Amino acid sequence: MERKKYRLNIGCIVDEIIYEYQTKIWGTLISNAQRENINLFTFVGARLHSEQGFDVYANHVYSLINSQSIDGLIILSSTLVGKIPKEKIEEFIKKYLPLPMVSVGLEMENLPSLLIDNKGEVKKALSHLVEDHGYRNIAFIRGPVNNQEAQERYEAYLETLTEYHIPINEDLIFVGEFLKPSGQEAVRVLIDERKAKFDALMAANDAMALGILEELKERGIHVPHDLAIVGFDDIEEAQSVNPPLTTICQPYYD
């Protein structure tokens, strides 16, 4: 009698599966696991060391992972960061050694990491605003300060403005959390508190850009006639809103 081939048990660590960035990557993992005849175990345990709501308890889900039950681990590291430094993520990952692991989104020390060209893509989008539309007063909504991807996108903003000899105005920069309410809050701070004047705005991800769109609609500010908006991720909601959001595409399947 032929012995059955052992099915690999691969784990996936992710903060939550409600936003499209996570669901698209997770969906790709599922389809590939099915094709390769692999068991995929997903550990949904919120952002690390988050103090919001139930997150502090949700983190305990990650303690269920061990080398006796899991053969390898895919870590959607960029979803775990929140407000903590990258070193905390690396410290968290080390406890799973010697499991084979791969990081998606953030570059981790001594770990294979899948990254995208954050800087290059943001520079293309900003150059489009400057060269094709003539915008020079461009606001930027950053992601979490400790998030590597968010930092790269912010650095691209600073570098692009410098390349076009556009002065950097701190009043046009807002630190968000990669969540839709951050976009809404950014508009309130920029317009109501700082009285900032700008003709274009780029958000470090689509969730914040969609929050910006909602807040602008509430105020009767028309996009793109009154203000140009650019996001990052190309989630489906960005295509279905009115007007559709100009955004940078993430290669989720790749």
Side-chain angles (χ1 to χ4, degrees):
M1 183 176 178
E2 186 180 350
R3 190 174 179 181
K4 285 188 177 180
K5 184 180 177 182
Y6 174 71
R7 284 171 63 108
L8 288 172
N9 295 326
I10 302 299
C12 171
I13 289 180
V14 60
D15 65 333
E16 52 194 30
I17 311 178
I18 56 174
Y19 296 106
E20 194 168 330
Y21 173 82
Q22 291 92 326
T23 57
K24 279 199 170 184
I25 296 179
W26 186 58
T28 300
L29 293 176
I30 290 173
S31 63
N32 280 276
Q34 290 172 335
R35 189 186 68 213
E36 300 293 339
N37 201 31
I38 288 170
N39 297 322
L40 181 69
F41 293 84
T42 307
F43 300 88
V44 185
R47 292 181 176 184
L48 288 179
H49 308 301
S50 169
E51 297 176 355
Q52 294 183 350
F54 191 73
D55 288 358
V56 65
Y57 303 105
N59 278 186
H60 290 297
V61 167
Y62 301 134
S63 65
L64 300 174
I65 302 167
N66 60 71
S67 57
Q68 283 72 49
S69 57
I70 298 296
D71 298 303
L73 204 51
I74 298 167
I75 304 164
L76 303 191
S77 51
S78 60
T79 73
L80 302 178
V81 177
K83 295 181 179 180
I84 65 172
K86 193 178 76 168
E87 290 74 19
K88 288 288 185 182
I89 303 289
E90 291 175 337
E91 183 181 307
F92 164 75
I93 289 172
K94 282 179 182 177
K95 68 183 182 182
Y96 298 121
L97 291 173
L99 273 176
M101 292 180 281
V102 61
S103 170
V104 178
L106 298 183
E107 185 175 4
M108 292 289 145
E109 185 180 4
N110 301 320
L111 200 67
S113 305
L114 298 178
L115 312 174
I116 63 169
D117 184 13
N118 287 289
K119 276 194 173 185
E121 295 304 312
V122 168
K123 285 188 173 186
K124 287 179 188 176
L126 291 170
S127 295
H128 169 71
L129 292 175
V130 175
E131 293 185 8
D132 298 333
H133 296 286
Y135 296 131
R136 295 185 67 82
N137 297 311
I138 305 172
F140 192 81
I141 312 305
R142 301 177 56 179
V145 173
N146 290 312
N147 185 292
Q148 179 182 323
E149 287 194 301
Q151 183 62 22
E152 289 175 359
R153 295 171 195 179
Y154 175 57
E155 288 173 359
Y157 167 75
L158 299 178
E159 291 172 11
T160 304
L161 262 58
T162 300
E163 289 166 8
Y164 284 103
H165 307 290
I166 300 173
I168 295 167
N169 183 351
E170 294 292 338
D171 283 345
L172 298 184
I173 300 168
F174 179 86
V175 180
E177 294 294 332
F178 273 162
L179 303 174
K180 187 179 285 187
S182 292
Q184 296 166 316
E185 178 63 16
V187 173
R188 289 192 285 268
V189 171
L190 294 176
I191 295 178
D192 299 337
E193 295 182 18
R194 300 181 186 173
K195 312 296 182 186
K197 303 296 181 184
F198 50 98
D199 43 30
L201 187 155
M202 181 168 189
N205 80 334
D206 281 354
M208 294 192 296
L210 292 170
I212 290 165
L213 279 173
E214 286 185 10
E215 185 66 23
L216 292 175
K217 281 184 179 180
E218 292 273 334
R219 296 165 179 264
I221 298 173
H222 301 286
V223 176
H225 305 293
D226 300 329
L227 185 65
I229 306 293
V230 178
F232 196 117
D233 283 340
D234 193 24
I235 63 175
E236 290 181 10
E237 190 178 351
Q239 302 167 27
S240 61
V241 292
N242 185 23
L245 178 67
T246 298
T247 180
I248 297 166
C249 182
Q250 280 260 33
Y252 298 106
Y253 189 84
D254 292 342

